[in-house]
Amino acid sequence: MATCPICRRLPADAKYKPFCSKRCADVDLQRWFAGSYVAPGGSDETPSRDEDEG
């Protein structure tokens, strides 16, 4: 059985899976809002081209 990714306890309530409680689910959500987690991906910026270049 998998453990809670926040506190490493066994999940106590299937409602909050994979977390063990609402508290751990809220901690995870707050980490996303704070920018502690970053999803991998490319840059959002489009490279600019100078019209004077070839």
Side-chain angles (χ1 to χ4, degrees):
M1 183 176 256
T3 60
C4 176
I6 302 299
C7 70
R8 305 291 181 219
R9 287 188 286 170
L10 291 176
D13 190 347
K15 180 179 176 181
Y16 300 109
K17 192 175 182 179
F19 308 104
C20 67
S21 65
K22 181 170 178 8
R23 180 198 166 277
C24 284
D26 288 344
V27 167
D28 183 71
L29 183 61
Q30 197 281 326
R31 288 179 183 176
W32 277 103
F33 287 151
S36 297
Y37 299 139
V38 178
S43 174
D44 288 343
E45 294 181 24
T46 305
S48 62
R49 283 177 44 186
D50 290 337
E51 291 180 21
D52 295 334
E53 278 187 85

